[in-house]
Amino acid sequence: YNLIAGTLSSLCHYSNREKSVNRITPGIHGISNAFLNTPWPKVERAKKRFSELIQNGKLTENELFHLLSDQERFPPEQLPDTGLEPELERAVSSCFIKTADYGTRCSTLLFVTHHGEVRFVERVFAPGTNNVTEENGYDFRFRDS
């Protein structure tokens, strides 16, 4: 698993495989089923699209959920060798994964302002589909200490 935790001024990442806490530097980072910033094609594309949303002033919940719903698969020659069968490797190469027995369960957005205002929004999907069965949103404020 991957855990990101911290305060308004300092974020850290922990992976159960690396077994170490690493400070996250300011910037755009991506994470999938590997370590933070592992340059998988879907992670690199999502980071690029995220950067474009920021540059174009379109950083909205709908645009970000659209980014996370990307089902485009990458060609085999661009994929990492994770030990999966080639057909499954390609099936899980998209940001949003839909297979008969494995897939994206939910997509979550977390917005935090410099003033400690937090917006958490999560969409839950029916198994094997991109049909939203539930959406939960929470707004709160937190203080850096």
Side-chain angles (χ1 to χ4, degrees):
Y1 69 91
N2 289 287
L3 173 69
I4 296 176
T7 66
L8 287 174
S9 58
S10 177
L11 282 178
C12 294
H13 169 258
Y14 174 82
S15 163
N16 66 323
R17 291 195 178 187
E18 288 181 313
K19 298 188 185 324
S20 65
V21 176
N22 299 298
R23 190 165 199 178
I24 300 174
T25 59
I28 295 175
H29 302 275
I31 196 163
S32 185
N33 289 16
F35 302 122
L36 184 68
N37 294 320
T38 298
W40 287 0
K42 64 180 172 183
V43 172
E44 294 303 301
R45 178 166 49 207
K47 286 169 51 177
K48 181 178 185 279
R49 288 184 176 169
F50 182 71
S51 180
E52 290 167 354
L53 290 175
I54 293 170
Q55 291 171 5
N56 296 329
K58 295 184 178 181
L59 200 60
T60 65
E61 286 182 20
N62 282 338
E63 290 291 336
L64 290 168
F65 276 124
H66 180 70
L67 184 153
L68 293 174
S69 69
D70 182 2
Q71 295 180 46
E72 185 176 336
R73 295 177 178 186
F74 289 87
E77 64 273 8
Q78 291 183 17
L79 301 179
D81 180 7
T82 63
L84 297 176
E85 294 295 321
E87 185 177 315
L88 183 56
E89 190 75 72
R90 187 148 193 274
V92 301
S93 71
S94 60
C95 282
F96 192 95
I97 300 168
K98 258 183 9 178
T99 71
D101 56 358
Y102 181 81
T104 300
R105 188 191 71 75
C106 66
S107 292
T108 307
L109 303 177
L110 182 66
F111 299 90
V112 182
T113 70
H114 292 287
H115 304 291
E117 297 156 342
V118 178
R119 172 98 176 121
F120 173 96
V121 185
E122 183 171 75
R123 289 184 179 171
V124 180
F125 305 101
T129 76
N130 58 347
N131 299 328
V132 177
T133 60
E134 190 178 336
E135 181 169 317
N136 297 298
Y138 305 96
D139 296 289
F140 57 95
R141 185 174 184 84
F142 102 99
R143 297 185 313 200
D144 200 1
S145 52

